[in-house]
Amino acid sequence: MPISTLIFQGLNQNCDHLSSIRNMLYDQTASKFIISVAYARVNGVEQLRDLLLNNNNKITAYVGIANGVTSYQALYNLLSYGVNVFGIHMGSDSRIYHPKIYSSISQDKMRVIVGSANLTFSGLNENIEISCDMTLDNNEPNERKNINDIINTFSNLDKNFPNNVFHITDEAILKKMLNEGHLENELIKKSAKITGHSTTYAPNAIIIPPFPKFNTRQRPLRRVIENNFAQTRLGEAWKSKALTERDLNIPKALGTNPTGSMFFNKGQLENIDQRHYFRDIVFGNLGWNNDTSSLSKMHLERAFAYFEIIINGTSYGEFKLKLTHDSRTDSPSYLQRNSMTQVHWGEAKPLISRVELLGKIAVLYHVKNDHYQLSIN
């Protein structure tokens, strides 16, 4: 039977994951190490720096990305210390790569620490985390099978799921992942909690692999960041309340003529003036122009932006949509402090005008320049 102990970090004194993992990495007989975590931050990686360097080219790390936690800096340091790094993207904003395993492999045995600790400072030291630290004997048939299963599962991960598992071989790949929003930048302070994952959705069944493909039609949601160099707000810019027939352009009754647009109202935001916030902050960088088609419309400002529409984690592509802002400050709507800015659904209307989306929540992300993401979950 395997020799095992339990790590009760935060519950028992002098019991932490960092000590156990460092002890494992000291094993001079090991020919290979495997690390698999959901999250990695630079303050976790740096606690193992000396041992990562000493085991140069022996360690392979499988790290979840596009989850709002794993950072460019963490993977950059792993790469620079000689670790073979793979980033794993689940292809959906509602699912994450979550297994945490630290293992050493030698000719006669495998030591495995499997539990809840991520490669972060809190995960290795401060959080309440529990793991099983066990040693498997390669000479025992049942234990040898488990050893082979672990080795084969991870060594074939990129072959079995080529659309989700990315071999990170150089800094250029990391920069591309950062620029596309798959990695966090620890140098940028977040201005609010991450809201890319639903806190209310409870699936009826656990979905097992194959993973959904990650391609140009499935992209991660951009996370909330604070930009100190522009007035325009980046990251999460707006979160709706439960979507209504009016928002989704669903006729309430026979003969009702939907407007084809939706006003950006206050939603779940606090302390904003919805009359100005969307025109001046969220869409302030767009090229707004007054409607000159007639004198009666001169007070209407028009602009265009690109919206990638994501519904339940699947991207349906990017649409060039028109925005309208009523610039009058003496109208009844303005005096009643109503919203003055709306988006016209245009070619995206068939995606939006669906009964099954009633009651769901829309989140608007500003990606860059005139590009936005609208996620409905």
Side-chain angles (χ1 to χ4, degrees), residues 93 219 221 308-315 373-376:
D93 67 295
R219 295 179 59 196
L221 302 181
E308 182 185 20
I309 295 178
I310 300 172
I311 299 175
N312 295 327
T314 297
S315 171
Q373 288 179 336
L374 184 69
S375 171
I376 301 176

Side-chain angles (χ1 to χ4, degrees), residues 132-179:
C132 182
D133 184 350
M134 69 182 76
T135 301
L136 303 173
D137 187 347
N138 200 35
N139 296 311
E140 292 291 333
N142 289 336
E143 296 178 34
R144 182 167 62 248
K145 181 183 183 303
N146 287 330
I147 292 173
N148 290 334
D149 284 346
I150 293 172
I151 294 173
N152 292 334
T153 295
F154 286 103
S155 64
N156 292 319
L157 210 56
D158 59 326
K159 302 179 187 67
N160 291 335
F161 308 104
N163 294 302
N164 300 85
V165 182
F166 303 92
H167 195 190
I168 302 171
T169 56
D170 55 42
E171 186 181 359
I173 296 175
L174 280 178
K175 286 183 176 179
K176 187 173 187 293
M177 287 182 168
L178 177 65
N179 292 334

